[in-house]
Amino acid sequence: MSALRAAGRQKSYRDTTLYTTLAPCAMCTGTIIQFKIPRVVVGEARTFDGEFELLRSRGVEVVVLDDQRCVDMMRTFQENNPDLWAEDIAEDIVE
């Protein structure tokens, strides 16, 4: 969603490929569907599985690169920022 904000107002996203480090969450998936973005390239889906089934069911092409650098970056972020990560994915912290 922040990538779309940064892109500014567009008349259409129908010829856009969205690149993301992490699998899109439900909220981002809804945005991709709403703006009819046809293709999403994902760095990795091991640390968060996202909403691929919903995207594909709506005709979005999903390409998962499974890039180890993305996996490492996300694992490090999740380990170093568990509260923020839990907030981002709307999960309770288990202590």
Side-chain angles (χ1 to χ4, degrees):
M1 290 178 61
S2 83
L4 294 176
R5 275 193 214 106
R9 294 180 61 91
Q10 305 291 318
K11 290 184 180 194
S12 174
Y13 291 94
R14 293 177 189 206
D15 63 350
T16 301
T17 298
L18 181 86
Y19 292 87
T20 178
T21 306
L22 187 63
C25 68
M27 184 171 59
C28 292
T29 294
T31 301
I32 292 163
I33 292 167
Q34 178 178 346
F35 287 99
K36 297 177 175 50
I37 296 171
R39 184 170 192 251
V40 178
V41 178
V42 178
E44 68 95 1
R46 289 190 235 166
T47 62
F48 183 74
D49 55 6
E51 297 290 338
F52 294 141
E53 294 299 319
L54 179 55
L55 285 170
R56 290 180 176 129
S57 76
R58 298 297 293 266
V60 177
E61 177 187 1
V62 177
V63 177
V64 180
L65 300 177
D66 197 30
D67 186 303
Q68 188 61 49
R69 293 169 300 175
C70 292
V71 173
D72 294 343
M73 182 175 61
M74 289 311 305
R75 284 190 177 141
T76 299
F77 177 83
Q78 291 165 357
E79 290 168 6
N80 292 340
N81 303 281
D83 293 335
L84 182 56
W85 176 247
E87 179 183 315
D88 281 353
I89 60 171
E91 288 190 359
D92 294 328
I93 299 288
V94 178
E95 295 187 32

